[in-house]
Amino acid sequence: MTFDVHACERPDAATVLLSAGLGGAAGYWAPQLAALGARYRVITYDQRGTGRARAPQLPANYAISDMADEVLEILDATSTKTCHFVGHALGGLAGIDLALRHPDRVRSLTVVNGWAAADAHTRRCFEIRVALLKGAGVEAYVRAQPIFLYPATWLAANAERMVAEDAHALSGFQGSNNLLRRIEALLRFDATPHLHALRLPVLLSAARDDVLVPCSQSETLAVQLADATLDVVPYGGHGLNVTEPEAFNALLLGFLDRRFGST
């Protein structure tokens, strides 16, 4: 992995670790850095197989537990005893796994448009994305990706930005092997039998217009977890922290303030 530690002026600041979704890149969290960095030490990272950490290729049977172990390595490398873990989609799955196996390292968990086990709709979406990648190639996959991430009205209003994002995604593409291994990992993941063991505060953030992961997945998680706060917004899509950053930042900071104060 390649990670970045964004220092806070407060010497006693708690740490927030941000874990991206399938894209895996630290840069996904750019809209959150200023808001969080004013009060927290923030760690971002490129997940193994992505971004600055694309090589070597991921092995067969690569799993969400491997992704969680990589976070544990980062916590150790940065002398971070505990963190507030914030994960988007796949990143949230890594957070669930980490909190289940190493509860002493995670103070709170925020899962954005995540799930305990992928439902039939989400599986269909990933099957279509895999078919695009294998049948039409990388460029077709990249161009289709925003349709799964963002609301249609937002895409229409940000057409030029999408052209730039497509170019950036193509130039930094993680490679078909790594992408397929990561999709296989998220589709195999099923934390349902173990969710009762999670006793830490969990924030579940979801959007009703998410076309990739139905908000019902977050609603199901909320029922199964012992200490869950559920926030479902009408608009924002799968990447709601990008499309509605001010609202998401306020939600996250408010959750951390209510449960932990400034620590």
Side-chain angles (χ1 to χ4, degrees):
M1 297 81 53
T2 302
F3 58 83
D4 303 288
V5 179
H6 308 267
C8 178
E9 291 184 1
R10 291 178 45 201
D12 61 340
T15 297
V16 173
L17 185 141
L18 302 173
S19 183
L22 184 59
Y28 175 76
W29 296 104
Q32 279 64 63
L33 291 182
L36 288 173
R39 297 165 58 186
Y40 292 93
R41 174 178 178 253
V42 179
I43 297 176
T44 56
Y45 70 106
D46 290 339
Q47 296 170 13
R48 184 163 292 154
T50 76
R52 296 164 292 175
R54 277 177 282 177
Q57 289 194 347
L58 297 175
N61 298 316
Y62 186 70
I64 295 296
S65 59
D66 295 317
M67 301 181 201
D69 288 344
E70 290 154 14
V71 174
L72 195 62
E73 291 176 22
I74 292 172
L75 295 178
D76 290 341
T78 57
S79 301
T80 305
K81 290 183 65 176
T82 63
C83 72
H84 298 290
F85 188 106
V86 181
H88 175 255
L90 175 147
L93 309 189
I96 291 172
D97 186 87
L98 179 67
L100 284 169
R101 293 191 294 118
H102 299 279
D104 57 318
R105 306 302 295 271
V106 184
R107 298 184 67 191
S108 74
L109 175 62
T110 296
V111 179
V112 184
N113 284 323
W115 59 91
D119 69 2
H121 172 79
T122 297
R123 290 181 179 276
R124 174 187 288 264
C125 289
F126 279 111
E127 287 168 1
I128 291 168
R129 297 173 77 180
V130 168
L132 268 173
L133 178 63
K134 291 181 175 180
V138 172
E139 184 173 358
Y141 175 90
V142 166
R143 291 203 65 195
Q145 180 168 264
I147 298 171
F148 295 97
L149 292 180
Y150 306 127
T153 53
W154 192 89
L155 285 172
N158 290 273
E160 291 185 9
R161 174 174 174 171
M162 289 302 98
V163 171
E165 283 200 8
D166 285 353
H168 179 73
L170 281 169
S171 65
F173 186 67
Q174 59 189 270
S176 295
N177 175 80
N178 288 351
L179 179 59
L180 292 171
R181 295 283 163 83
R182 287 160 57 75
I183 291 174
E184 291 166 2
L186 68 85
L187 291 177
R188 285 198 309 270
F189 182 76
D190 185 358
T192 306
H194 313 292
L195 291 177
H196 67 279
L198 280 177
R199 298 292 169 179
L200 77 170
V202 180
L203 172 63
L204 302 169
S205 174
R208 293 202 180 279
D209 62 347
D210 184 349
V211 300
L212 179 60
V213 181
C215 65
S216 57
Q217 293 289 280
S218 293
E219 293 167 344
T220 299
L221 274 170
V223 172
Q224 295 172 319
L225 293 168
D227 186 2
T229 299
L230 173 65
D231 185 86
V232 180
V233 296
Y235 177 85
H238 190 61
L240 62 85
N241 61 295
V242 174
T243 58
E244 296 289 314
E246 293 83 5
F248 176 80
N249 294 345
L251 172 69
L252 177 57
L253 289 169
F255 167 73
L256 293 174
D257 281 350
R258 287 191 305 272
R259 301 306 300 263
F260 300 95
S262 58
T263 63

